[in-house]
């Protein structure tokens, strides 16, 4: 078993000065913590893997393809491989758990 604490992951992510911290990588998936502060721009490009986002905290909108939804704590979003997607209109610091399958390259 591997177990993680969100506060420790957030501290590690912040200490490494990055918006994304991959903390688990297995044969069929990888998991990371993605952080965007209020007002930030999301620099993401489409990925070659399917993704599931779980919003841990914050508020924003996300556009996947041509569809836009508001997201907040507890939201779960599926993004198919290759789909253009971005978080935007981030009104509260956003912390998102990201699952890639297969693992992120």
């Amino acid at each position: 078993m591997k177990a993680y604490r969100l506060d420790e992951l957030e501290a590690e992510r912040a200490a490494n000065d990055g918006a994304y911290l991959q903390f688990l990588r297995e044969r069929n998936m990888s998991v990371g913590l993605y952080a965007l502060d209020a007002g930030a721009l999301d620099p993401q490009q489409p990925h070659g893997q399917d993704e599931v986002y779980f919003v841990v905290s914050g508020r924003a909108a996300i556009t996947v393809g041509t569809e836009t939804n508001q997201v907040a704590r507890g939201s779960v979003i599926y993004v198919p491989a290759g789909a253009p997607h971005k978080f935007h209109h981030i009104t509260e610091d956003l912390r998102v758990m990201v699952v890639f399958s297969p693992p992120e390259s």
Side-chain angles (χ1 to χ4, degrees), residues 11 39 71-72 87:
V71 296
F87 289 99

Side-chain angles (χ1 to χ4, degrees), residues 42-56:
D42 184 0
Q44 288 193 84
Q45 298 295 318
H47 304 285
Q49 305 83 4
D50 288 339
E51 295 177 80
V52 173
Y53 290 113
F54 173 71
V55 178
V56 175

Side-chain angles (χ1 to χ4, degrees), residues 1-75:
M1 177 169 93
K2 296 177 183 177
Y4 304 90
R5 290 181 43 102
L6 186 58
D7 57 343
E8 292 171 355
L9 294 172
E10 176 62 15
E12 183 179 347
R13 184 206 57 78
N16 289 314
D17 293 325
Y20 184 71
L21 171 71
Q22 179 178 279
F23 61 88
L24 176 66
R25 184 179 181 86
E26 296 293 335
R27 186 171 56 87
N28 293 317
M29 69 174 198
S30 61
V31 184
L33 178 63
Y34 189 43
L36 293 166
D37 291 336
L41 298 176
D42 184 0
Q44 288 193 84
Q45 298 295 318
H47 304 285
Q49 305 83 4
D50 288 339
E51 295 177 80
V52 173
Y53 290 113
F54 173 71
V55 178
V56 175
S57 62
R59 291 187 180 278
I62 186 170
T63 298
V64 178
T66 60
E67 187 176 353
T68 298
N69 283 295
Q70 298 298 311
V71 296
R73 182 176 180 236
S75 296

